[in-house]
Amino acid sequence: MMNRIILPAARIAAAIAVVVVPFGYAITGLHTDVLMGVGCGIGVGVGVGLRGGAGSGPWTGIVVGSIVGITAALIRGLAAWDGFAVLVPPVLALALGLTCGLRGSSLSGYREMSRETLIASVPLALGLLPVLAASDNLQFTLAPLLCVPWIALMGGLLSQRREGWQDSRPPRLLVLGSLALFALLFFLMFSELVQGGFLTLEIVLVARAVGLIFMLLVAVPAGAFLLGRTVITWLLPRLRVYGHLADYLRVMWVPIGGFAVGYLTIIVLFAGFYGMLGRFSPGAFSDGGTGTGIADWLFFSFFTALGQDFLTVSPDSVGARALVGVHLILSAGWVVVLFAAVMTSIGPKLERIARRQGEE
């Protein structure tokens, strides 16, 4: 049980967190906003990665979860108006659009669309649960579930013209649930506008509330749904290329490791040479006297191997420049010689992989 569910879920969650957390903190410094973005991404990504079926898998879950998490962090960091009405509808619509892109023609009616929306809303609610528990707002855990009827109806309306779509009329329960959500949101927004004292005319208040509802429940979620479906449809064929590359990388893993060991050995060796020359000949390097530590020489050796200048240390004497030249020749020679040796040794294996993938 652990090997089949818990460990894959942990890998997917860790990969999504590595992507979303830095992006979230680059947008906002609020820990709750970043945690909310990470929670949305992990919830949806793990659900997609563990669900199985066509188009699903760990890498697909990581990609979908990263897109959802980055979008949620972006909304929380840039939205001028705080509240779950700003976050949940577009994020759920984006998750549904990504799912529709993955499932393709298997979604052919409002029933399938409602099922996929409900399945996407459950892990989204679970992903929001930690930050809601920390802020004592557990009542908002049901927000994704309340948005299910409208997001499913909207997704169906935007998918009716797709190939294989069967139902031309949405079910009544779906329409009634959507109207109930609109009425609830209208009541909450109207009450908030009145209590805030922003406006006094009731007609203006109604227009303001209707405009906010249209933006939050129609315009933004529709754009998120279409964007998610378009992005994942475009990405899927290109992501399959990495699946083919995995076979090549397994063959080249040992040679790549051997190249890295040899390259790092040259860097460390010449760092010692540079440090020794700088200690016994203080004028050989600019700012490279006895006060320069081993870390500076390692960085200088690393940048020299790449053919780049190091800002704090540079060769001044003839001996230092000659040593740098020898280092560059050995580094370039190591790359050329090892590349030729590797291609000679693993060439037949790569050809067999290419033939097998061509037959498949």
Side-chain angles (χ1 to χ4, degrees), residues 4-240:
R4 295 180 58 184
I5 297 179
I6 298 179
L7 292 180
R11 295 192 193 101
I12 296 172
I16 294 172
V18 168
V19 175
V20 177
V21 169
F23 189 89
Y25 279 114
I27 298 173
T28 175
L30 297 178
H31 302 303
T32 55
D33 291 351
V34 178
L35 181 60
M36 198 167 294
V38 174
C40 292
I42 290 177
V44 176
V46 171
V48 171
L50 298 182
R51 185 177 176 186
S56 298
W59 284 106
T60 306
I62 292 172
V63 172
V64 170
S66 299
I67 294 174
V68 172
I70 288 174
T71 303
L74 192 64
I75 293 173
R76 292 292 299 183
L78 300 181
W81 188 50
D82 193 14
F84 286 91
V86 178
L87 177 69
V88 173
V91 171
L92 182 57
L94 177 66
L96 179 62
L98 294 170
T99 303
C100 290
L102 291 173
R103 299 294 170 184
S105 59
S106 62
L107 301 181
S108 58
Y110 285 98
R111 180 177 297 179
E112 291 84 358
M113 191 68 69
S114 301
R115 183 192 65 230
E116 294 297 332
T117 310
L118 180 61
I119 292 175
S121 67
V122 173
L124 182 61
L126 293 176
L128 291 172
L129 189 60
V131 68
L132 293 177
S135 57
D136 294 330
N137 289 320
L138 287 176
Q139 66 273 16
F140 292 105
T141 306
L142 298 177
L145 299 176
L146 293 175
C147 293
V148 167
W150 164 241
I151 299 301
L153 177 63
M154 180 199 64
L157 293 174
L158 294 175
S159 303
Q160 278 189 341
R161 296 185 178 181
R162 301 197 79 189
E163 183 180 357
W165 191 265
Q166 298 174 358
D167 298 341
S168 58
R169 289 186 178 182
R172 292 182 181 179
L173 290 178
L174 212 57
V175 176
L176 292 176
S178 302
L179 293 176
L181 176 64
F182 272 79
L184 176 62
L185 192 58
F186 177 81
F187 174 77
L188 294 176
M189 286 187 176
F190 188 83
S191 301
E192 184 176 347
L193 290 173
V194 172
Q195 293 174 2
F198 293 106
L199 300 168
T200 57
L201 297 176
E202 292 185 359
I203 297 178
V204 180
L205 283 173
V206 172
R208 179 81 175 270
V210 171
L212 288 175
I213 291 174
F214 178 81
M215 182 183 68
L216 295 177
L217 284 183
V218 179
V220 176
F225 174 82
L226 294 175
L227 178 64
R229 192 176 66 185
T230 303
V231 166
I232 202 65
T233 303
W234 185 85
L235 275 178
L236 273 182
R238 289 149 184 86
L239 291 176
R240 292 192 182 98

Side-chain angles (χ1 to χ4, degrees), residues 304-330:
T304 301
L306 297 177
Q308 301 294 323
D309 294 331
F310 190 56
L311 296 178
T312 59
V313 180
S314 61
D316 284 346
S317 68
V318 176
R321 293 172 181 171
L323 188 61
V324 169
V326 173
H327 187 186
L328 287 172
I329 292 173
L330 285 178

